[in-house]
């Protein structure tokens, strides 16, 4: 049974992501290597973030195995915790998914060791296979293979997922050239992933809504399967189309990845994005690195949902100065302009 396709056939799926950035901001993950050791060291933090995202409207709990692959663990000299980390991430996510009724997704990411050589292909394939086996054993509904800039690497990930007979979402990270690292246009890459059996294809990470949506306009008519869009919540521009290329005129350090705050999209901008993506026929909508629960709730509400967190959605009518409620004194209302 393909739960992913069934759910998409009955409506949009909202998928909150961005676990690396959010755990880093909360002080439980180191920027740089960006390895999700938090899964083993502070499982309660990961569980809470899963719950925060579902509470805000995410339909999916994505196991936090992003960069939890053999290549990344080798970088920090901890290959020995590869399997415990993956199994624990799946366990934490599975528990939240089961208790909330959300979909459970496994996760594969770019390895950063891929290159178009026979040795690298075999190495990458083995890394994906071991992660997919653990995900399958944990009973995931589907697997997300994401942030690929090499088409071939994405197709190897997809093949590993298909071999395990699991549904797949395959998304590419489109960097500043607007093409994949291997030269394909994003629509060509998506078409290839669809032909290779992906249930959902599209883009995630790197680009903000302003520079991802125009590409989605080209991808949507190029494929027949479901399309995904999970931008980063940052104000990217035509000149600086990715979060990695953003330049802060007031500071000399590179904004990416730890000083992107001045470029953050508001929740209202993310709601606008969700409506625009929905209008383009994008069926799988989410937010990547930088996402906070407030963004996710705004997206959910833009899609016509009322997640539990909507209980606390803003109601400025009751604000002591800016409010319009009968109980707000005229004097305070008049003082509002001096705030
Ligand atoms: Zn991301």
């Amino acid at each position: 049974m393909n739960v992913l396709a069934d759910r998409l056939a009955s409506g949009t799926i909202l998928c909150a992501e961005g676990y690396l950035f959010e755990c880093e901001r909360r002080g439980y993950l180191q920027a740089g290597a960006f390895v999700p050791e938090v899964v083993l060291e502070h499982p309660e933090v990961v569980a809470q973030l899963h719950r925060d995202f579902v509470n805000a409207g995410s339909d999916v709990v994505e196991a936090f195995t992003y960069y939890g692959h053999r290549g990344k663990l080798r970088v920090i000299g901890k290959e020995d915790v590869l399997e415990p980390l993956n199994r624990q991430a799946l366990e934490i996510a599975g528990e939240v998914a089961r208790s909330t009724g959300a979909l459970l997704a496994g996760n594969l990411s770019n390895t950063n060791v891929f290159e178009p050589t026979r040795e690298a292909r075999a190495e990458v394939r083995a890394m994906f296979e071991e992660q997919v086996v653990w995900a399958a054993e944990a009973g995931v509904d589907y697997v997300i293979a994401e942030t690929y800039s090499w088409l071939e690497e994405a197709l190897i990930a997809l093949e590993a997922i298909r071999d395990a007979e699991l549904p797949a979402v395959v998304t590419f990270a489109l960097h500043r050239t607007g093409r994949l690292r291997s030269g394909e246009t994003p629509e060509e890459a998506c078409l290839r992933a669809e032909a290779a059996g992906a249930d959902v294809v599209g883009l995630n990470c790197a680009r903000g809504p302003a520079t991802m949506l125009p590409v989605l306009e080209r991808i949507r008519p190029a494929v027949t399967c479901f399309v995904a869009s999970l931008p980063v919540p940052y104000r990217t521009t035509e000149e600086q189309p990715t979060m990695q290329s953003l330049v802060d005129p007031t500071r000399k350090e590179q904004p990416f990845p730890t000083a992107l705050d001045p470029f953050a999209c508001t929740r209202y901008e993310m709601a606008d994005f969700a409506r625009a993506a929905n209008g383009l026929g994008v069926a799988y909508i989410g937010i990547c690195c930088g996402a906070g629960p407030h963004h996710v709730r705004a997206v959910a509400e833009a899609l016509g949902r009322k997640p539990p967190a909507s209980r606390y959605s803003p109601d400025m009518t009751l604000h002591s100065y800016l409010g319009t409620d009968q109980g707000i004194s005229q004097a305070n209302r008049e003082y509002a302009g001096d705030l």
Side-chain angles (χ1 to χ4, degrees), residues 247-298:
V247 176
D248 185 343
T250 70
R251 304 279 303 176
K252 63 178 185 305
E253 68 264 23
Q254 186 183 1
F256 175 84
T258 50
L260 286 162
D261 310 55
F263 301 97
C265 292
T266 67
R267 63 188 74 186
Y268 306 105
E269 291 171 291
M270 296 315 291
D272 288 345
F273 149 74
R275 279 186 284 268
N278 206 28
L280 288 175
V282 173
Y284 188 100
I285 292 176
I287 317 174
C288 205
C289 304
H294 65 308
H295 290 128
V296 177
R297 179 178 60 191

Side-chain angles (χ1 to χ4, degrees), residues 101-160:
L103 293 166
L104 173 62
N107 179 224
L108 300 178
S109 53
N110 55 312
T111 62
N112 303 310
V113 299
F114 179 82
E115 51 185 16
T117 65
R118 186 203 300 228
E119 296 73 28
R121 284 185 191 106
E123 184 185 357
V124 163
R125 166 88 204 194
M127 284 164 62
F128 292 148
E129 269 175 14
E130 58 192 1
Q131 284 193 291
V132 168
V133 166
W134 296 322
E137 286 177 7
V140 299
D141 295 306
Y142 67 101
V143 178
I144 298 163
E146 62 184 341
T147 53
Y148 293 99
S149 52
W150 290 105
L151 170 60
E152 202 184 340
E153 187 182 25
L155 295 178
I156 294 170
L158 174 58
E159 194 175 70

